Amino acid sequence: MKILIISQYFWPESFKINDICLGLQEKGHDVSILTGIPNYPKGEFFEGYNFGSKDEMWNGMKIYRAKLLPRGKGGISLFLNYFSFVFFAWLKIYRIKEKFDRILVYEPSPVTVGIPAINASRKFNAPYYFWVQDLWPESLQSAGGINNKFVLSVFDKITKLIYKKSEKVLVQSEGFKEYILKQGISAEKIIFYPNTTEDFYKKEEKISKIESLLPTGFKIMFAGNLGEAQSLNTLIEAAEILNKKSIDLKWIFLGDGRNREFLQNLIKEKNLEKNVFLLGSFPATEMPHFFASADALILSLKSDKIFALTIPSKLQSYLACGKPILASLNGEGAKIVNQSNSGFSSPAEDANVLAENVEKLYRLSPDERQKMGENAIDYFKNNFDRKTLLEKLEQILNFK
């Protein structure tokens, strides 16, 4: 079958949809991708790309590049980024000569990625399936800080239109269902379809190349976007609390984002340069080797309704790598950590309870921490296995 994936983000940007495309191709489907010009997360075009970048091939798949304006530092630049993709992707569809049987839309913010899908569905006479990663307009309000009732109303109408014209609405978290039902979408149309993670996320052994980059001591590792939504100041506050207790902890941040400079300043302000390390970005394929050198993996989100409903996609990657997990968040993500017995969770933005959990984990025996890691792998295999979820996606798209 011929499948068109529509996603504003795609390789060489690091998003889970990259692996879903590879997985569908592995299962014998002919996959093409309509996407933008890579500029996430730094807000600048990747090296080798510009506003006029052409279509290209990746692992035997055709990538159609629609023009867009880069994200910049946020604000008005971000909105221009969103709407420029909608405009140019809509036009790009008319230049695509292929025919498609199905269309899969991948939607981390913004929801507007669904607008070109409406056009593609009409042109190719193919149904589109909308995979919701972020709830809109809730995400616009919670993560974007937009409270204008007119703006929120407009995006609510756009979201409902996109959902209603889709064949099915896939949700990455069970917690999304109630919100979407309240937007007038029928229960029969909504399918729980969680994220899996790439095959290379698995338990690895320590390697000297990675070890040489890391400080000595009990290592707590965060990997991913250094953004506002992650409430990373909560982690720094917990680090400060534990530093005063003279516990030899090393907090290691892998990744980049708009809050990197803020973090650097906060670390300096709290005199934590010997405890907290911002190592920058590394290829996703290297993450399991970094995780192998960690004593615990940590994830965090702000205290907000939408984040409580979300399963952070990095959680699946953490589980697959078999390390104890510290979760500073509410809702669905915390529930998974607790159900899996893979670590400890604390309420979002509560640095004191997080610090207590870190110390509790630190004082466990190596065997107890190893058991948590084993529990993590078991839970991943039972709930987020890549092969199983790819087969489920085929069933949703009516290929089986």
Side-chain angles (χ1 to χ4, degrees):
M1 293 287 183
K2 290 181 68 66
I3 306 172
L4 176 64
I5 307 291
I6 300 180
S7 172
Q8 183 166 332
Y9 315 100
F10 194 70
W11 176 89
E13 295 164 317
S14 183
F15 281 83
K16 298 300 181 186
I17 192 62
N18 302 359
D19 187 62
I20 292 295
C21 291
L22 290 171
L24 288 170
Q25 184 191 55
E26 289 164 12
K27 296 183 78 63
H29 301 292
D30 186 348
V31 180
S32 298
I33 302 97
L34 172 60
T35 189
I37 302 168
N39 69 110
Y40 181 92
K42 292 187 177 180
E44 302 171 354
F45 291 139
F46 281 33
E47 185 177 352
Y49 291 89
N50 55 54
F51 184 73
S53 287
K54 305 298 183 184
D55 301 339
E56 58 185 318
M57 298 294 293
W58 178 67
N59 284 299
M61 293 178 282
K62 179 74 172 182
I63 300 178
Y64 295 100
R65 297 276 181 198
K67 294 178 172 62
L68 54 65
L69 298 172
R71 297 167 62 89
K73 300 295 183 181
I76 188 65
S77 296
L78 189 56
F79 274 92
L80 290 174
N81 169 259
Y82 290 171
F83 285 105
S84 62
F85 177 75
V86 171
F87 177 76
F88 288 111
W90 183 283
L91 296 178
K92 185 75 174 182
I93 287 163
Y94 293 112
R95 301 179 62 184
I96 297 175
K97 304 304 181 185
E98 292 185 78
K99 296 291 184 183
F100 300 98
D101 301 300
R102 299 288 188 273
I103 299 166
L104 176 64
V105 186
Y106 178 71
E107 180 265 341
S109 289
V111 74
T112 46
V113 68
I115 297 175
I118 295 173
N119 190 31
S121 180
R122 188 189 74 250
K123 187 199 172 191
F124 302 123
N125 192 29
Y128 73 87
Y129 297 73
F130 198 78
W131 191 11
V132 181
Q133 301 289 320
D134 287 332
L135 290 173
W136 274 62
E138 185 70 28
S139 183
L140 187 64
Q141 186 173 17
S142 300
I146 305 297
N147 293 301
N148 183 287
K149 290 184 178 179
F150 174 75
V151 172
L152 294 174
S153 174
V154 168
F155 278 100
D156 189 45
K157 288 181 173 64
I158 291 172
T159 303
K160 290 176 180 176
L161 175 68
I162 291 167
Y163 290 167
K164 285 177 180 177
K165 287 190 173 292
S166 70
E167 184 73 14
K168 296 290 182 183
V169 177
L170 285 58
V171 293
Q172 61 101 310
S173 168
E174 291 277 12
F176 284 8
K177 287 184 177 179
E178 183 180 353
Y179 186 94
I180 295 175
L181 286 170
K182 288 180 179 178
Q183 289 180 296
I185 307 305
S186 67
E188 294 74 23
K189 197 169 191 173
I190 304 170
I191 300 173
F192 173 53
Y193 185 73
N195 288 300
T196 180
T197 196
E198 296 89 340
D199 270 348
F200 57 77
Y201 280 106
K202 58 187 177 181
K203 188 173 180 63
E204 294 281 9
E205 298 298 322
K206 296 179 183 179
I207 58 175
S208 57
K209 182 182 78 169
I210 300 298
E211 285 277 286
S212 67
L213 300 175
L214 303 175
T216 57
F218 190 92
K219 302 176 188 65
I220 301 167
M221 193 170 288
F222 175 97
N225 183 43
L226 307 182
E228 183 70 26
Q230 284 69 40
S231 187
L232 298 176
N233 57 297
T234 303
L235 277 58
I236 302 303
E237 289 168 19
E240 182 182 31
I241 292 168
L242 292 162
N243 186 49
K244 290 177 180 177
K245 299 181 77 169
S246 300
I247 299 175
D248 184 23
L249 299 173
K250 299 298 188 293
W251 300 70
I252 298 160
F253 291 83
L254 306 173
D256 208 340
R258 286 187 286 169
N259 269 30
R260 181 186 175 92
E261 186 176 346
F262 165 78
L263 271 182
Q264 287 175 325
N265 292 335
L266 192 59
I267 292 164
K268 186 175 182 181
E269 175 189 320
K270 295 182 179 295
N271 297 312
L272 292 172
E273 293 96 330
K274 294 182 180 179
N275 303 91
V276 185
F277 303 83
L278 305 182
L279 299 188
S281 297
F282 295 85
T285 50
E286 292 189 12
M287 289 301 100
H289 297 288
F290 274 98
F291 296 167
S293 293
D295 295 286
L297 304 176
I298 192 165
L299 70 160
S300 57
L301 286 172
K302 289 173 64 176
S303 178
D304 197 285
K305 174 185 174 182
I306 189 172
F307 298 135
L309 298 176
T310 299
I311 301 174
S313 61
K314 76 176 68 177
L315 180 52
Q316 283 90 335
S317 301
Y318 281 5
L319 289 166
C321 288
K323 286 288 182 175
I325 297 171
L326 291 161
S328 173
L329 42 77
N330 300 329
E332 296 296 311
K335 188 188 302 182
I336 288 171
V337 173
N338 295 333
Q339 286 177 345
S340 62
N341 293 313
S342 61
F344 301 122
S345 68
S346 56
E349 300 189 55
D350 191 329
N352 290 304
V353 179
L354 173 58
E356 290 172 9
N357 282 346
V358 172
E359 184 172 1
K360 192 191 306 182
L361 187 68
Y362 173 80
R363 305 223 179 263
L364 292 180
S365 69
D367 286 346
E368 289 173 311
R369 290 197 294 269
Q370 181 178 336
K371 179 59 178 172
M372 285 182 167
E374 292 169 357
N375 291 342
I377 292 172
D378 289 343
Y379 193 90
F380 175 83
K381 288 179 178 178
N382 290 331
N383 294 274
F384 304 119
D385 177 68
R386 181 179 184 266
K387 181 176 181 290
T388 302
L389 285 176
L390 282 170
E391 289 173 354
K392 181 178 180 180
L393 182 57
E394 284 188 304
Q395 292 167 2
I396 292 169
L397 299 177
N398 300 316
F399 292 144
K400 281 194 173 182

